[in-house]
Structure formats: structure tokens, C-alpha cells
Amino acid sequence: MNRKTERVFLVGVELKSGGSRGLDDSLQELSELATTAGGQVVGDGVQKLAAPCASTFIGKGKATHFAELCREADVDTVIFDDELTPAQSRNLEKLFNCKILDRTSLILDIFAQRARTREGKLQIELAQLQHLLPRLTRFWGHLSRQKGGIGMRGGEGETQLETDRRRVQDRIARIEKELEVVRRQRSTQRYARQRNHWALASIVGYTNAGKSTLLNTLTGAEVFAEDKLFATLDPTTRRLRLPTNQNVLLTDTVGFIRKLPHGLVEAFKATLEEVVEADLLLHVVDVSHPQAEEQIHAVESVLREIGADGKPTLMVFNKIDQLKGAQAILSQFAEKYPQAVAISAVTGEGIPELLSELGSQLRPLREFVELSVPHDRPDVIARLHSVGQVVERDYSGERARFKARIPPHVHSEFAPYVVKELQTA
Ligand SMILES: Nc1nc2c(ncn2[C@@H]2O[C@H](COP(=O)(O)OP(=O)(O)OP(=O)(O)O)[C@@H](O)[C@H]2O)c(=O)[nH]1
Ligand SMILES: [Mg+2]
């Protein structure tokens, strides 16, 4: 763990089909990922290709050249921006004579470093082992899990390999069993929540968009927020009370990224159930990011993958304090997404608008009723004001009359006083 920081070299490929701009952004992001994982990027190289090479992904000549650069720069790990096949990894490892990672395994490593809950840790380990299994080579060596570095390191030689494979398979089987137990417990907790019948809103968005910061600002939660990718892995849920007295459960969860490994999405499906079950999604976007638009699409594609597309979604354009002179961007987005709100989770700008938009989007979930309450039941009247949103009141008659929106979970409490179901606007 206290070994010197790993020196990292990045390799990107510009396929004829994609533009070079996409490659630059992708490499820039890969570099952030490598840094987040604790590496130090000491160089990078790109190659233009019609199609990836089956044996070494990039061309053999280019690979040999990069390998030389890496030796000179004393590089420990070479990271490819795309997913490598097991054969490509093995061949490249021989050629470079150092550890080869791809974007997928890098993201998995970061997740492994960040997981805190039992379920999170198990999910990551499972995804990691499944990714690793066909790629086991002598550079991965024994499987003691090490923290801090990029990935696992070993180097005990080929003889270890068969034993390692068997151990990985055993471990996968054990984790799957354990996950089942952990999940059963969690779904019991969820049922408890469902009985509350509060609306559930889930914050989604690209990694580093400001999701946790927003949850903290809205609810005073103390979720870890940091200018690093994937600061959050495990979901946190807090109650948010809107100015209209509506209670909402607000969940902050793991961020998305482009080329998010499929195995990881699979592994996280259970965690992401909060997203799938939500009544409303808050899609937080860092509008100050030059790739904001691409990030929106990446998030939408993960949402599709987990089956949460088509959900009512409130677009939240965050970090407007960072826009400075670039306000034009905001109006472009506003045109494209007319329902959106623009905020700064840090300065609090736009938060009142966000709250009121939340209120109106969640309103249809509540029942709009007319009530008639005897004057000698001030307790009922007080309770109505504390849990409901009273929009009209009339104390002049024999009984007090109200028009109010009340959340479903207290509907039965007021049932004796309801005289009319009103149309929800
Ligand atoms: N200037 C500015 N910075 C913000 C704003 N919102 C969040 N940030 C910063 O952006 C960084 C990322 O914020 P987080 O809240 O951790 O982002 P996240 O979406 O939860 O990220 P992950 O959990 O890593 O996916 C932090 O350094 C925040 O301080 C904002 O409105 N303005
Ligand atoms: Mg976060």
C-alpha cells in the first residue's frame, strides 16, 4: 500500500468512425480516473485505426514503440481507454512487460476502493472477479486484495495460475450466496419504507455532477462530496420536507460515466433499484462542463440499461455559479429542456425554484380533497395543517371547511372528514 505511486501511461485509439474530439475527452476522463485511483499519469499515446487489431488492440509496431517509451519513463501500468479482450491483455503484457489495465478494470478498481457497505463491497468484488477470471496472468498473481494501488499486484509466476483460477471461481460462488442474504435483508427494509407511502425521488447524473452536494444542501445530510470521480457508491436516502408540507424521500446514488462497464451495471442493479422504483428522477447535470451534453446522453443510456428510462424526470442544471461569462450555454439548455431548473448546489441559487418544481411534479401523487371538520376538533385541524397543504379554508360555517392536498399515507386519518374528492390539477 505504501509502495510508491504507480506510474501510468495511457493509450487511446481513434477509430475511423469517431472524431478526434471524442478521443481527447475520453482520454482526459481516463486520466482523471487514473488519478482518482491513485496513479500518476506520466504520458499517453494515441493511434488512428480503421479497426482494432485482434492480437494487440493497437498495431504491433505502435505497441513496440509505446513499450519503449514506457520503459524509459519507468511506467508500472499501461491503461487502455477501451475494453481489451483477455488475449489482447496477455499479448500486450508480454510486449510491455508491465501490468496492462483497460478502462473497465480501472473503473472497477476505483469502485473497489470506494465501496463502504457490505453489499457495495460484495457487488464490486463480484464484478471484479468476473472481469478478472479470463484475464488472470502472472502479473495479477495471488489474490490478496490490496488497497490503495491501481488494481491488484502480484508476480509469483505461472505455476500459481491454475490454483488462482479455482480460487476465483470458489470466491465468486461464495459472494453470490452472501449477496443473496444481504439483499433479502435490504428488501425487508424497503417494504418498511413503502408502508410510509412517501414519494421517492432519486438523484441521478454523471459522476462529479454535484449529486451529493445537492442532497446535502437540500436535506442537511452529510454525504461525502468531493471533486473526484465516483465519490459516492452506496445510496443514501434522506427525508426532504417541501415548503408545501409534502414529504419526499430523496436518494443520492452512484454516478454514471460513459463506457460504464456492463458487468458493473449488472452488479449495481440491486443498488440502483432505488432509481428504478423512484416516482421522480432528478437528473443533475454539471452545465459548466464542456461535455455536459454528452454526459446527459451517457446517463440516459445507463438509465435505459437498468430499465429506468421514461420515468418522470426533472432536469437540474447545476454549477451555474461556475458559468461566469458562458451564460449562453444555459439558454441553449433551457431551450432544449424547457422543464429544467438551473441551480448552484454550492451557493444555493435556484434552490427555491427547484423545491417548488419538485412540489408541483409530485403533487399528482397526493390526494386533493374537501374536508369538513367540527370546530371542537382543533387537533384534527392542526394535524391537517402540519401534514397537508391547505389551499382554502373557511371557518365561518357550522363546521370548518378545507380544501387540501394530503399525502396518501395519512388519508385514512382524515377519511371521516372528507366530503369530496377534488380533481387534481
Ligand atoms: N462551483 C460549484 N461546484 C459544485 C457545485 N455542486 C457541486 N460542486 C462540486 O463538484 C464536486 C463534485 O460534487 P459531488 O457532490 O461529490 O458530485 P457527485 O455527483 O455526488 O459525484 P460522484 O459521487 O463522484 O458521482 C465537488 O467538488 C463539489 O464541491 C456547484 O453548484 N458549484
Ligand atoms: Mg456523490
Side-chain angles (χ1 to χ4, degrees):
M1 171 149 168
N2 289 322
R3 194 186 157 276
K4 69 175 174 70
T5 311
E6 279 189 49
R7 294 168 66 82
V8 172
F9 187 88
L10 310 177
V11 179
V13 158
E14 186 183 320
L15 291 173
K16 281 250 169 72
S17 47
S20 67
R21 182 148 172 73
L23 176 66
D24 287 350
D25 301 335
S26 195
L27 267 193
Q28 172 60 35
E29 193 170 77
L30 188 69
S31 163
E32 278 169 41
L33 285 168
T35 313
T36 295
Q40 182 198 355
V41 179
V42 296
D44 59 43
V46 297
Q47 185 178 31
K48 280 187 190 164
L49 278 179
C53 167
S55 61
T56 50
F57 194 70
I58 50 173
K60 188 97 185 263
K62 202 65 166 181
T64 312
H65 172 58
F66 287 164
E68 243 163 63
L69 293 181
C70 288
R71 249 188 310 282
E72 279 162 21
D74 192 22
V75 163
D76 306 287
T77 306
V78 179
I79 307 177
F80 282 72
D81 194 28
D82 297 270
E83 188 159 326
L84 301 170
T85 66
Q88 285 166 342
S89 303
R90 275 194 296 276
N91 294 333
L92 287 164
E93 218 157 65
K94 272 187 207 122
L95 228 150
F96 279 83
N97 197 33
C98 69
K99 193 168 63 168
I100 303 289
L101 288 182
D102 58 16
R103 191 183 175 93
T104 301
S105 34
L106 180 58
I107 293 175
L108 288 171
D109 283 343
I110 295 173
F111 273 60
Q113 288 173 20
R114 304 236 161 187
R116 291 289 171 270
T117 64
R118 184 94 201 107
E119 186 178 17
K121 285 180 184 165
L122 289 170
Q123 286 174 155
I124 291 301
E125 195 178 349
L126 184 62
Q128 232 176 356
L129 291 175
Q130 280 164 344
H131 184 73
L132 173 63
L133 192 56
R135 291 174 175 79
L136 272 181
T137 64
R138 64 193 179 90
F139 280 99
W140 293 88
H142 67 92
L143 287 160
S144 66
R145 297 226 297 151
Q146 295 184 6
K147 285 211 186 113
I150 292 186
M152 302 176 259
R153 261 187 107 83
E156 273 145 38
E158 301 280 12
T159 48
Q160 191 70 38
L161 206 56
E162 274 315 303
T163 345
D164 281 348
R165 286 211 177 112
R166 205 162 332 111
R167 280 170 60 194
V168 172
Q169 273 153 349
D170 289 350
R171 186 105 156 230
I172 287 177
R174 240 179 308 133
I175 292 174
E176 280 173 340
K177 250 189 233 138
E178 204 174 324
L179 260 177
E180 213 171 291
V181 176
V182 175
R183 280 177 185 156
R184 217 175 297 136
Q185 289 165 351
R186 207 171 49 96
S187 75
T188 321
Q189 290 164 10
R190 216 194 337 263
Y191 283 125
R193 191 205 66 212
Q194 280 175 340
R195 277 201 299 275
N196 268 325
H197 287 304
W198 286 344
L200 175 68
S202 222
I203 304 178
V204 296
Y206 209 76
T207 183
N208 216 41
K211 301 178 294 300
S212 302
T213 310
L214 178 62
L215 184 78
N216 291 342
T217 302
L218 289 177
T219 69
E222 285 170 18
V223 178
F224 181 60
E226 193 189 16
D227 195 9
K228 276 199 171 169
L229 307 181
F230 302 117
T232 310
L233 280 196
D234 302 308
T236 305
T237 303
R238 288 284 179 280
R239 186 184 68 151
L240 168 64
R241 197 186 172 93
L242 297 174
T244 50
N245 267 339
Q246 284 159 283
N247 280 307
V248 186
L249 291 174
L250 198 58
T251 297
D252 169 36
T253 186
V254 60
F256 301 158
I257 196 167
R258 72 185 110 176
K259 303 183 190 172
L260 191 67
H262 181 74
L264 203 54
V265 176
E266 272 302 310
F268 265 81
K269 266 203 176 137
T271 303
L272 291 169
E273 271 168 28
E274 304 286 352
V275 174
V276 180
E277 286 179 4
D279 301 297
L280 178 72
L281 300 182
L282 269 72
H283 182 164
V284 178
V285 180
D286 173 0
V287 265
S288 73
H289 196 285
Q291 258 60 62
E293 184 83 45
E294 286 81 357
Q295 298 187 343
I296 292 175
H297 297 315
V299 169
E300 286 170 345
S301 100
V302 180
L303 288 176
R304 265 194 300 281
E305 207 174 330
I306 60 171
D309 48 337
K311 258 191 193 304
T313 302
L314 175 58
M315 296 297 283
V316 181
F317 292 120
N318 189 30
K319 306 200 188 179
I320 53 170
D321 59 299
Q322 271 185 354
L323 280 178
K324 296 180 193 103
Q327 295 294 335
I329 294 175
L330 203 54
S331 23
Q332 276 171 27
F333 276 114
E335 218 164 275
K336 237 181 211 165
Y337 303 92
Q339 287 291 323
V341 284
I343 64 155
S344 166
V346 165
T347 68
E349 201 183 337
I351 295 291
E353 288 79 5
L354 172 61
L355 290 174
S356 98
E357 190 58 34
L358 265 175
S360 63
Q361 299 238 3
L362 292 170
R363 182 166 302 152
L365 289 174
R366 309 207 305 171
E367 293 166 79
F368 193 28
V369 290
E370 191 173 327
L371 304 108
S372 156
V373 186
H375 289 294
D376 64 356
R377 294 303 305 272
D379 54 321
V380 173
I381 295 172
R383 171 93 176 136
L384 179 65
H385 282 83
S386 78
V387 296
Q389 181 194 8
V390 179
V391 293
E392 257 183 65
R393 48 181 73 78
D394 176 8
Y395 296 100
S396 62
E398 223 159 82
R399 291 163 73 101
R401 288 254 172 184
F402 303 95
K403 286 183 181 168
R405 294 194 170 83
I406 53 177
H409 74 286
V410 292
H411 200 210
S412 60
E413 240 180 84
F414 294 101
Y417 310 104
V418 171
V419 289
K420 206 200 256 171
E421 303 274 343
L422 301 169
Q423 206 71 355
T424 46

